[in-house]
Amino acid sequence: MTIKNIPVGYKDSPLGIIPQDWEVKRFRDIGNFLRNNTLSRDKMSESEGCIQNIHYGDILIKYKEILKVSKTNIPWIVEDRKYSPLGDMLQNGDIVISDTAEDYTVGKATELMEINGAFVVAGLHTMPFRPLSDLFSPRFLGYYLNSMAYRFQLYALVQGIKVCSISKKAMSGTFLIVPPLAEQEKIAEILSTWDKAIERQTQLIQKLELRKKGLMQQLLTGKKRLPGFTGEWEKVKLGEIFSERNEINKETLPLLSITAERGVILQSESDKRDISNEDKSKYKRICPNDIGYNTMRMWQGRCALSTLEGIVSPAYTIVIPNDNINPYYMEMLFKQPYMIYNFWTHSQGLVNDTLNCKFPDFSQVKVHIPPLQEQTAIANILSSCDEEIRLAQDKLAAMKEQKKGLMQVLLTGKRRVKL
């Protein structure tokens, strides 16, 4: 659709081509900003108190477009008279906007629902806002303010480089679309249905991960044996079944990143900023089936099995399993709580922040392991769990992308809903 070719039933507006019966209003004309609480997070508590405080960081990371208030999902202000909140009490339909972030997620908003008599305030670095009750159907504004159709306006208004911020004055001048209430309600209902499906898929992934955790606890300790395996497990030191790879001066190899969730990946695919040294002559080579671990964080289980060849930071120790060892089995074993404790007891240093587990220390850790055939059988079961979780995560990602697509077409009027 273009200005020269406006379809029947549509019109031009400051937000482009929109349905004829939709309105466009300035943000300042759809409601009023409220006062926020200015207490820092160290005055908050996870335990139940009198007043709950919505933190801007939770809006950016934790809360979705719609926030159903409960006793557990919002921190409490500590019960002390001198910390009495300064902000206005919030009610159903109020919007809380984050005015600060480290990136362009600034301006992310959440709409409050199901407060049910709770006392809730908006915290430091937030802009609480109360829309006019006769303009918006519940949930619609929460979805619209987080849509790309609206957020594109905010990008030009953001100030700051290292810390991004947006002001009430800047937001007041932005435009919003206001469809008829019945259409708002239907759009919110459709998007809410997708939210419920996404939530169910998220719960499924959690159950699959919990099942894998239970299998690991049983199979990797020998508490549960697979059919056909009855032989004794051998007690060995890790130095007897691993050797160290300490190859440097491999700058022509690709730079890799060892992550907690995704394993060993290309640094270019990492979500983290590249802070590697320009001189990579001291960076260590890692190969497929090697295990890399953070020398100062092995007591936290920071390790991963590599499927790639490349170089990693000198902060990592690279170990090579012997031929009679299944690498994936050992990676899973290293992340068990009792093994993490063993690595902690073998690490050197006065406090946790200075502990390190170099290869000589790693070598002294003792483990009970089954023969290679049983290792591989256990590894195959756990790998199947990984694949099932991966497929469920892919489906979840696809559902989230589909929801984004729906928001783009429904909240701009490109696709109309049937009432």
Side-chain angles (χ1 to χ4, degrees):
M1 294 184 291
T2 64
I3 296 176
K4 294 181 179 180
N5 184 25
I6 300 177
V8 176
Y10 285 80
K11 64 182 179 182
D12 188 25
S13 80
L15 293 176
I17 308 301
I18 63 172
Q20 190 73 42
D21 53 344
W22 288 22
E23 297 182 66
V24 173
K25 291 184 178 292
R26 293 273 190 179
F27 196 93
R28 59 174 170 261
D29 298 326
I30 66 164
N32 300 289
F33 286 104
L34 306 175
R35 292 179 305 151
N36 66 307
N37 169 36
T38 58
L39 296 179
S40 61
R41 191 152 196 165
D42 61 358
K43 302 297 188 297
M44 309 300 152
S45 171
E46 297 301 324
S47 59
E48 187 172 337
C50 294
I51 298 172
Q52 291 177 274
N53 183 88
I54 297 177
H55 190 266
Y56 80 98
D58 290 335
I59 297 175
L60 296 173
I61 299 172
K62 182 178 176 182
Y63 300 145
K64 299 179 181 178
E65 297 98 333
I66 311 300
L67 174 59
K68 295 181 180 180
V69 174
S70 74
K71 292 182 177 180
T72 58
N73 65 355
I74 302 174
W76 298 81
I77 295 175
V78 293
E79 296 186 64
D80 189 317
R81 290 185 182 277
K82 68 180 179 180
Y83 295 140
S84 297
L86 304 176
D88 294 315
M89 292 295 172
L90 302 179
Q91 63 187 33
N92 287 333
D94 285 350
I95 307 292
V96 184
I97 306 161
S98 172
D99 68 10
T100 301
E102 293 182 355
D103 53 28
Y104 274 70
T105 56
V106 63
K108 188 172 180 289
T110 188
E111 179 176 345
L112 272 59
M113 300 288 291
E114 300 182 14
I115 291 183
N116 298 328
F119 296 110
V120 185
V121 294
L124 192 67
H125 296 307
T126 68
M127 297 183 289
F129 183 82
R130 181 164 296 162
L132 299 174
S133 59
D134 60 343
L135 275 181
F136 297 101
S137 174
R139 299 175 297 180
F140 176 82
L141 199 53
Y143 287 121
Y144 183 74
L145 292 179
N146 288 289
S147 69
M148 293 308 299
Y150 176 73
R151 290 190 56 78
F152 273 132
Q153 295 182 71
L154 300 186
Y155 294 153
L157 306 174
V158 172
Q159 300 199 0
I161 300 175
K162 291 184 178 180
V163 176
C164 298
S165 64
I166 192 164
S167 67
K168 294 177 182 178
K169 181 178 180 181
M171 287 201 70
S172 294
T174 59
F175 291 98
L176 301 92
I177 54 171
V178 185
L181 285 173
E183 196 162 356
Q184 290 183 36
E185 184 176 357
K186 187 65 176 179
I187 291 171
E189 179 185 335
I190 292 170
L191 295 177
S192 180
T193 299
W194 279 93
D195 277 341
K196 291 176 183 177
I198 288 171
E199 181 62 27
R200 285 196 297 269
Q201 188 67 14
T202 301
Q203 292 172 352
L204 172 62
I205 292 171
Q206 292 170 347
K207 290 178 181 179
L208 292 173
E209 290 174 339
L210 188 61
R211 184 186 67 171
K212 180 191 173 186
K213 183 178 180 180
L215 284 171
M216 290 170 67
Q217 291 173 345
Q218 295 291 314
L219 297 177
L220 295 173
T221 59
K223 292 179 180 179
K224 184 175 183 178
R225 303 292 295 275
L226 296 176
F229 295 102
T230 58
E232 291 292 324
W233 288 23
E234 184 181 6
K235 187 175 184 178
V236 297
K237 291 183 178 180
L238 291 180
E240 299 174 37
I241 58 176
F242 281 93
S243 58
E244 183 178 15
R245 187 188 298 278
N246 203 5
E247 302 175 28
I248 58 175
N249 295 313
K250 301 288 184 180
E251 299 98 317
T252 57
L253 293 175
L255 180 63
L256 305 179
S257 178
I258 299 180
T259 69
E261 299 296 329
R262 300 168 60 190
V264 181
I265 60 174
L266 292 168
Q267 171 59 42
S268 58
E269 297 177 356
S270 175
D271 298 329
K272 296 182 179 179
R273 184 168 56 91
D274 184 0
I275 57 172
S276 62
N277 296 333
E278 185 174 347
D279 178 12
K280 295 182 173 56
S281 61
K282 302 297 183 183
Y283 277 52
K284 297 179 180 179
R285 181 189 181 206
I286 188 171
C287 298
N289 291 328
D290 289 354
I291 293 177
Y293 70 84
N294 188 318
T295 310
M296 297 186 68
R297 288 290 180 267
M298 192 53 167
W299 56 274
Q300 294 178 329
R302 299 284 185 87
C303 66
L305 174 66
S306 182
T307 60
L308 304 171
E309 181 181 8
I311 54 174
V312 296
S313 165
Y316 289 91
T317 298
I318 313 302
V319 295
I320 311 168
N322 293 352
D323 292 339
N324 63 336
I325 296 298
N326 184 290
Y328 177 79
Y329 176 93
M330 297 306 298
E331 179 195 22
M332 295 297 100
L333 181 64
F334 288 169
K335 295 182 178 180
Q336 290 300 290
Y338 72 92
M339 283 298 300
I340 291 173
Y341 174 77
N342 285 340
F343 288 125
W344 178 74
T345 60
H346 284 77
S347 296
Q348 306 296 319
L350 297 177
V351 295
N352 285 345
D353 285 343
T354 62
L355 288 180
N356 64 79
C357 185
K358 296 181 180 179
F359 185 74
D361 308 308
F362 171 91
S363 299
Q364 297 305 308
V365 176
K366 295 178 181 179
V367 293
H368 282 89
I369 57 171
L372 178 60
Q373 189 176 3
E374 189 171 357
Q375 291 177 39
T376 302
I378 293 172
N380 288 340
I381 290 175
L382 298 180
S383 181
S384 295
C385 291
D386 283 342
E387 180 63 14
E388 197 170 6
I389 292 170
R390 186 190 65 78
L391 291 174
Q393 289 172 334
D394 287 347
K395 183 176 180 180
L396 177 62
M399 293 169 73
K400 289 180 177 180
E401 285 300 312
Q402 289 167 345
K403 179 190 167 186
K404 285 183 182 179
L406 277 175
M407 291 176 69
Q408 182 63 24
V409 295
L410 294 180
L411 294 170
T412 58
K414 291 179 180 178
R415 178 175 293 180
R416 305 295 298 272
V417 296
K418 295 181 180 180
L419 301 178

